[in-house]
Amino acid sequence: MTTNVHPSLAAARQARERFRAGACRPTAGLAPGMTQANLIALPRDWAWDFLLYAQRNPQACPVLEVSDPGDWRTPMAEDADLRTDLPRYRLWRNGALTGEINDARACWEEHPDLVPFLIGCSFTFENALFEAGIEVRHITDNTNVPMYRTTLPCRPAGRLQGDVVVSMRPLPASQVAKASTITARYPGVHGAPIHVGDPQALGIVDLDRPDFGDRVRLEPGEMPVFWACGVTPQAAVMASNVPFALTHAPGHMFITDVPDSRYHV
Amino acid sequence: MTTNVHPSLAAARQARERFRAGACRPTAGLAPGMTQANLIALPRDWAWDFLLYAQRNPQACPVLEVSDPGDWRTPMAEDADLRTDLPRYRLWRNGALTGEINDARACWEEHPDLVPFLIGCSFTFENALFEAGIEVRHITDNTNVPMYRTTLPCRPAGRLQGDVVVSMRPLPASQVAKASTITARYPGVHGAPIHVGDPQALGIVDLDRPDFGDRVRLEPGEMPVFWACGVTPQAAVMASNVPFALTHAPGHMFITDVPDSRYHV
């Protein structure tokens, strides 16, 4: 049987298959045009608090999809297995990172009622920036996007609280407005920047020392531009002493079969 | 003490005060420019299912705000009381409408863990249509927008299932594209139309007999244009035999202190 599959869709499936077989690498640049998502899975007892937390902080935690308790499948990729198809996972116990794993099947055995949430990722609008002639520095330099914990509080929900985590892209001052306009039309994947310029206003002490990901070049005449980031749920897990959580490792996303254009308004 | 309050904000507060004092009327045209919202309040036991249902059906059930269990206040209007500040409520038991009331305080006594959800309403984009020179017929005619149950299924969540409810506005064929483009940029309040033209494709038998609201004039050369509607949760309550629910009465919305512009992308 021959089937015509769009090359990006084929690339998404192939990447998931490789990760399932044990391969591990950051996902930036893989399957261009296909939506990549942050993962956080919590026991059913914490799911309401988290969904409410996400609803109250939609720029940082835009929920793309929630699977039923105990289900590791998702409509965002029919053949995918959320337990194995991400390149790298982080395991959290009582708010502390306890390990990184490549296969999370044991987590569903330990917590048969685990609820997986898929959260939008700013990788989705990076294609649109690139197509508009705006350089995305960490892609040019082939590094992971720098991410920072801030002192901006999220709105709490139930037992969950924490601060916003941001990603940063340096832009020439003349391109800040254009990048803002473009990304604003992707509200499901963090939308417009939440801050332009002075990192100290966000409580960021040193741009060269990101909390997650890699440092990035800032050229003369460029402004640091900050978007809310899907690592924010991990900050909430840490700040709220959540007994158990499974997440993606920063930069190691879930690659879906949904085109980025789905989230353009 | 004198304070400067925007006339629309003052009108929103005044309307809520009047409703609190017992007045009752549909809210279309009141406090222009201020967001109006659908209300559904459910006992805590059903809140997860509902929030998940809304997340899976965001065009029909765009959640603007969720209050904590038992709380009748909302950040969308600091001084408001959700138990009394809507002009008219509907009370549902075991999936059946059991009454309409003007004061819902007894509901919070009966269910101290009631969780209020505020859902976006297409009234928000009607101002934008009007400003673009597009006639909104039910406003011209001073009637309630016609709403119809369809045979389009929502995605189920937990114990909740049901079909999409739509609102309909007749438009000249030449304005359908413009109205689509304008409303698409309000994804938080139902966004773009879900259907243009043939009502039978949605399972609607007779446009002149809406299930909620009033019939509206359809002039020669006009197309019926359908948007997902915030009465959809009420259809889910009916279809899913929900033991207890409190909602607004169709067309009798909660008027907030949030400007419509908040939901423009």
Side-chain angles (χ1 to χ4, degrees), chain A residues 95-106:
Chain A
L97 178 63
T98 57
E100 294 206 345
I101 52 179
N102 287 14
D103 182 328
R105 279 178 291 189

Side-chain angles (χ1 to χ4, degrees), chain A residues 174-255:
Chain A
S174 64
Q175 292 189 325
V176 171
K178 193 174 187 182
S180 301
T181 313
I182 290 170
T183 57
R185 297 197 66 173
Y186 288 90
V189 291
H190 305 302
I194 60 168
H195 186 78
V196 176
D198 184 14
Q200 296 197 355
L202 297 177
I204 299 170
V205 178
D206 185 352
L207 276 186
D208 282 338
R209 300 173 66 123
D211 296 294
F212 312 94
D214 302 318
R215 75 173 285 281
V216 80
R217 278 184 297 130
L218 198 69
E219 300 289 348
E222 289 183 341
M223 307 276 280
V225 183
F226 300 92
W227 279 265
C229 175
V231 171
T232 301
Q234 300 187 24
V237 164
M238 287 187 262
S240 312
N241 204 25
V242 176
F244 182 89
L246 174 74
T247 70
H248 70 289
H252 296 67
M253 319 304 290
F254 176 59
I255 302 179

Side-chain angles (χ1 to χ4, degrees), chain A residues 56 63 65-66 68 155 265, chain B residues 55-56 65-66 68 155 184:
Chain A
R56 290 182 180 171
V63 177
E65 194 58 66
V66 186
D68 287 323
R155 289 179 58 197
V265 163
Chain B
Q55 199 282 326
R56 290 182 180 171
E65 195 57 67
V66 186
D68 287 324
R155 287 179 58 198

Side-chain angles (χ1 to χ4, degrees), chain A residues 44-45 47-49 51-52 55-56 63-69 75 115 117 155-158 181 184-187 265, chain B residues 44-45 47-49 51-52 55-56 63-69 75 115 117 155-158 181 184-187 265:
Chain A
R44 172 69 183 87
D45 170 46
W48 161 258
D49 283 3
L51 191 49
L52 195 57
Q55 198 284 324
R56 290 182 180 171
V63 177
L64 304 183
E65 194 58 66
V66 186
S67 300
D68 287 323
V115 183
F117 298 82
R155 289 179 58 197
T181 313
R185 297 197 66 173
Y186 288 90
V265 163
Chain B
R44 171 70 183 87
D45 170 46
W48 162 259
D49 283 4
L51 191 50
L52 196 58
Q55 199 282 326
R56 290 182 180 171
V63 178
L64 304 184
E65 195 57 67
V66 186
S67 299
D68 287 324
V115 183
F117 298 83
R155 287 179 58 198
T181 313
R185 297 198 64 173
Y186 288 92
V265 164

